[in-house]
Amino acid sequence: MPTRRMGNHTVVSIFLLWGFSSFSDLQSLLFVVILFYHVTILAANVSIMGAIKLSHNLHTPMYFFLCGLSFSETCTTVVVIPRMLVDLLSESKTISLPECATQMFFFLGFASNNCFIMAAMSYDRYTAIHNPLQYHTLMTRKICLQMMMASWMVGFLFSLCIIVTVFNLSFCDLNTIQHYFCDISPVVSLACNYTFYHEMAIFVLSAFVLVGSFILIMISYVFIVFIVIKMPSAKGRSKAFSTCSSHLTVVSIHYGFACFVYLRPKNSNSFDEDMLTAMTYTILTPLLNPIVYSLRNKEMQIALRKTLGSVFGVFPQKTKKEPEHLKKLHSIDK
């Protein structure tokens, strides 16, 4: 293990991703299960993005943001899961300091981007319910693209701030990360000069992303509730709420687990809980999005059937029309 001396401490530059190493007898089974989920996530999200791209009926702001969310969720899993699969079959399970910083940067960047895309989706739902006649005027392609770019910029700016804060620390003596990827808490616990000020800086940055984007979402939904309550018909109220149900389901799961991991006080026994909870937003949530947004949406179901049918020939093609001269001959025979 590459090391160097710093006073009475040995500074390490290679980490050991402990992860699921305590379950040595289950390594092969975990590999198969996680690989299956990873392939399913990729197939589901690629199908969603392909259906939205190929179906003209889905070229709307809501599906534009859903396509962006599917892409970002897919990237989040690609940053984490392939490395996890390699470590499940590897004896060393080591990762260098630059590799660890790179993985954390992209994971936090994509995860933060997901939060702000969901905030943009809530504003889109508010606009659709509040101004249905002017919806396409207010939510133009240019505005949607600007909102998407802002989500990416803010997400990766936050990630850069975290990386600068974390990897300016010195890592001494211990090099075992109690996680299956380089997440914030397991990494900073190894630093020998980690102080209360570093902890507060990371907490404030995390709260800015999680709480800040969640407040934006709640503001949109407060206005949505006021608008829906004033609707005269029960059918109109039910239809308005149904357009938001999928989004609210994903938001509740995503923010619930993320806040549990990043905003609660840490102790030495919390890393195992964090690791199990992290499985939800690296494996469950990216798989949940296509299920929630697709299986409960008739437009998406039709688009997926058409896309899969054209690509794989799953569904029968339309029969060709009989030529006119043959029709006349058949009518004469009759």
Side-chain angles (χ1 to χ4, degrees):
M1 177 180 68
T3 62
R4 60 184 176 86
R5 301 294 301 180
M6 189 181 76
N8 296 326
H9 297 284
T10 300
V11 180
V12 299
S13 58
I14 297 291
F15 295 117
L16 174 65
L17 285 170
W18 185 249
F20 299 105
S21 297
S22 54
F23 307 105
S24 56
D25 297 334
L26 300 175
Q27 299 285 299
S28 299
L29 177 61
L30 285 171
F31 176 85
V32 173
V33 172
I34 294 172
L35 177 62
F36 170 76
Y37 272 101
H38 185 49
V39 172
T40 305
I41 289 168
L42 293 178
N45 282 285
V46 169
S47 297
I48 292 289
M49 290 184 282
I52 293 173
K53 180 69 175 177
L54 297 175
S55 178
H56 182 74
N57 293 335
L58 301 185
H59 291 178
T60 63
M62 181 179 75
Y63 292 108
F64 173 79
F65 289 121
L66 177 57
C67 185
L69 183 63
S70 294
F71 177 75
S72 186
E73 290 279 21
T74 302
C75 292
T76 305
T77 62
V78 169
V79 169
V80 174
I81 296 181
R83 173 75 201 207
M84 189 196 334
L85 292 172
V86 171
D87 288 338
L88 283 171
L89 300 180
S90 173
E91 292 293 333
S92 63
K93 306 184 192 305
T94 57
I95 185 170
S96 68
L97 191 67
E99 289 173 334
C100 186
T102 301
Q103 186 185 55
M104 186 185 294
F105 172 75
F106 283 106
F107 172 76
L108 294 177
F110 288 122
S112 304
N113 178 47
N114 297 340
C115 294
F116 290 108
I117 290 178
M118 283 189 277
M121 293 174 78
S122 67
Y123 176 75
D124 170 71
R125 292 298 82 207
Y126 161 72
T127 307
I129 294 172
H130 182 248
N131 292 304
L133 298 178
Q134 298 179 339
Y135 174 59
H136 292 286
T137 303
L138 296 172
M139 296 295 293
T140 62
R141 184 173 182 81
K142 181 180 178 181
I143 292 174
C144 292
L145 187 60
Q146 289 174 344
M147 293 174 70
M148 184 71 75
M149 292 302 296
S151 299
W152 283 78
M153 289 176 63
V154 175
F156 278 96
L157 181 61
F158 154 77
S159 180
L160 180 62
C161 293
I162 290 289
I163 295 302
V164 170
T165 303
V166 171
F167 289 93
N168 271 333
L169 298 170
S170 298
F171 298 94
C172 310
D173 303 327
L174 301 175
N175 76 319
T176 302
I177 298 174
Q178 301 292 334
H179 214 307
Y180 57 85
F181 72 98
C182 289
D183 206 357
I184 301 173
S185 296
V187 172
V188 298
S189 67
L190 304 179
C192 50
N193 59 341
Y194 184 57
T195 65
F196 173 76
Y197 299 103
H198 294 104
E199 183 178 2
M200 286 305 299
I202 292 172
F203 178 82
V204 169
L205 287 168
S206 301
F208 168 75
V209 172
L210 291 173
V211 179
S213 58
F214 186 74
I215 288 174
L216 293 175
I217 292 172
M218 288 299 100
I219 289 173
S220 295
Y221 275 104
V222 166
F223 283 110
I224 287 173
V225 169
F226 280 125
I227 294 167
V228 172
I229 289 175
K230 294 178 181 179
M231 290 181 176
S233 67
K235 185 178 180 180
R237 289 193 294 268
S238 176
K239 185 177 180 181
F241 276 125
S242 67
T243 62
C244 305
S245 60
S246 299
H247 181 253
L248 280 173
T249 301
V250 173
V251 165
S252 301
I253 294 173
H254 180 90
Y255 280 90
F257 287 114
C259 290
F260 178 79
V261 172
Y262 292 104
L263 298 184
R264 88 185 198 278
K266 302 296 182 203
N267 56 63
S268 58
N269 298 321
S270 66
F271 294 135
D272 291 338
E273 296 176 1
D274 288 354
M275 186 173 67
L276 294 175
T277 307
M279 293 292 290
T280 61
Y281 57 80
T282 55
I283 293 180
L284 178 60
T285 304
L287 186 59
L288 182 69
N289 288 344
I291 294 174
V292 171
Y293 280 104
S294 302
L295 297 183
R296 299 178 60 183
N297 189 305
K298 291 183 179 180
E299 288 182 327
M300 181 60 73
Q301 291 174 18
I302 295 171
L304 282 171
R305 281 198 294 267
K306 288 182 178 179
T307 302
L308 293 175
S310 62
V311 174
F312 299 106
V314 176
F315 302 100
Q317 300 293 324
K318 291 182 179 180
T319 56
K320 294 182 179 180
K321 290 184 178 180
E322 189 177 27
E324 289 297 326
H325 69 280
L326 291 178
K327 284 184 178 181
K328 292 179 180 178
L329 287 175
H330 291 160
S331 61
I332 292 171
D333 292 336
K334 290 179 181 178

